[in-house]
Amino acid sequence: MNTKQLDRIHTGKGFIAALDQSGGSTPKALLQYGIQEDRYSNEEEMFELVHEMRTRIIKSPAFNSSHILGAILFENTMDRSIDGQFTADYLWEQKGIVPFLKIDQGLAGPENGVQLMKPIPGLDELLKRAVQKNIFGTKMRSLIKEANPAGIQKVVEQQFAVAMQIAAYGLVPIIEPEVDIHMADKGQAERLLKQEISTRLSALGKDVKVMLKLSIPSEDNFYSDLIQDPHVVRVVALSGGYTQAEANDKLAHNHGLIASFSRALSQGLSDQQTDEEFNALLAQSTEAIYEASIT
């Protein structure tokens, strides 16, 4: 584990940029960026275009360590290069931004009001490659759609089991049990989730470190005790479908919780914009998210 990166994530001011759309979400991300499906004819061309989009974001003067602590990549981006350096090395060496890797393969079907992660075949090999590519940590997402105690227990159990596999490689896992923001009983689901997470954290060995990526809670400062837990490097928030303005406003009411936004970060960015327009809008976004994260 890179101790400089650990200290940066644990104590630094800023937010985590989520640049990890993959698989089925990639065409949607390209459409939001203004690239129609007729611009590519196969998966390789699609991934080349999305890498160009991410490269443009990463190389922008607005994407810098004064506002951004880390960036979450997906596997295809990790394996590609920017200006002759693997993406993770470029992020850290040129930008001072800590690289993370999305490792899940999407969601399984609904059961007990939740969607667990699909199995992750070849995870050990992926983690070995991540270490070789100088990745600091990983991220994996589950989804909670109902305040179902049995389902939420299963989500947390699976997340922590995979997290221990990841931590064995010296990587810091980001545990992401997303709570659907549209749930009628969102607050109850969050209470059940926090209890399960707290129970799992209390059973960890003293040297095990994890991060948590959680939906912005219905009750302000609800996760303050998790933020203070000695096993937790950082608690970050996903935007979860909120607009950038909504997410920033809600985040600002939760002291110590920092952003890890994807759609809210790239909102309004377009392939058709000039570099001046693109960089100006990205600068506005990073500034607004940063201010909400340090409140």
Side-chain angles (χ1 to χ4, degrees):
M1 186 184 300
N2 185 315
T3 54
K4 287 185 179 180
Q5 292 179 346
L6 178 65
D7 183 65
R8 174 105 177 107
I9 294 298
H10 183 54
T11 64
K13 290 186 176 181
F15 66 93
I16 310 289
L19 306 176
D20 59 331
Q21 302 99 332
S22 62
S25 63
T26 302
K28 183 178 179 181
L30 286 173
L31 278 172
Q32 290 173 340
Y33 184 56
I35 294 179
Q36 303 295 321
E37 293 186 14
D38 60 8
R39 289 271 299 276
Y40 53 90
S41 57
N42 55 50
E43 190 174 79
E44 177 57 31
E45 291 179 1
M46 178 185 73
F47 284 133
E48 181 63 36
L49 286 168
V50 83
H51 187 64
E52 290 175 6
M53 176 184 73
R54 288 171 177 144
T55 296
R56 191 181 188 192
I57 292 171
I58 290 169
K59 291 186 69 174
S60 170
F63 197 86
N64 61 69
S65 60
S66 66
H67 291 75
I68 300 169
L69 298 174
I72 305 170
L73 312 174
F74 89 115
E75 184 180 352
N76 191 281
T77 307
M78 177 186 74
D79 290 334
R80 292 178 184 263
S81 299
I82 298 176
D83 291 354
Q85 288 185 287
F86 284 117
T87 307
D89 290 333
Y90 184 92
L91 279 167
W92 180 242
E93 295 176 15
Q94 305 301 325
K95 291 282 188 166
I97 293 171
V98 179
F100 292 82
L101 175 68
K102 167 188 161 70
I103 57 99
D104 69 80
Q105 298 293 313
L107 299 172
E111 187 175 355
N112 291 326
V114 303
Q115 288 182 264
L116 299 174
M117 294 183 287
K118 291 179 180 177
I120 311 173
L123 178 57
D124 285 304
E125 289 304 314
L126 177 59
L127 296 174
K128 289 176 186 176
R129 286 175 44 229
V131 171
Q132 292 168 354
K133 295 280 175 62
N134 297 320
I135 293 290
F136 171 77
T138 65
K139 192 216 77 163
M140 50 191 174
R141 173 178 173 262
S142 310
L143 182 61
I144 296 167
K145 300 180 75 67
E146 296 176 13
N148 183 306
I152 292 172
Q153 182 181 31
K154 284 289 187 183
V155 161
V156 177
E157 179 182 14
Q158 183 193 43
Q159 282 275 350
F160 272 81
V162 180
M164 294 308 95
Q165 187 176 353
I166 293 161
Y169 284 88
L171 300 164
V172 175
I174 300 178
I175 292 167
E176 184 185 4
E178 178 181 348
V179 174
D180 189 333
I181 63 171
H182 302 294
M183 288 172 52
D185 50 356
K186 179 172 176 283
Q188 175 61 11
E190 288 165 345
R191 287 187 285 275
L192 292 168
L193 175 62
K194 186 168 78 166
Q195 180 57 55
E196 290 292 337
I197 291 174
S198 297
T199 299
R200 295 284 172 176
L201 288 173
S202 67
L204 295 180
K206 65 176 184 177
D207 295 326
V208 177
K209 301 292 184 184
V210 302
M211 293 174 63
L212 302 171
K213 183 169 180 175
L214 305 172
S215 303
I216 303 172
S218 300
E219 179 185 326
D220 291 348
N221 297 310
F222 182 68
Y223 293 127
S224 58
D225 48 348
L226 297 181
I227 291 170
Q228 298 301 320
D229 190 284
H231 294 290
V232 178
V233 177
R234 209 71 188 248
V235 181
V236 304
L238 56 102
S239 50
Y242 291 124
T243 66
Q244 184 187 114
E246 290 171 332
N248 287 341
D249 178 66
K250 292 177 182 296
L251 183 67
H253 289 87
N254 287 272
H255 181 70
L257 189 65
I258 67 171
S260 178
F261 294 169
S262 174
R263 281 167 292 184
L265 171 65
S266 59
Q267 182 177 304
L269 298 179
S270 169
D271 178 58
Q272 286 76 47
Q273 290 166 337
T274 65
D275 286 344
E276 184 177 4
E277 293 168 335
F278 181 93
N279 293 334
L281 183 57
L282 185 58
Q284 290 177 9
S285 295
T286 56
E287 179 68 29
I289 295 169
Y290 172 81
E291 290 296 333
S293 293
I294 64 171
T295 300

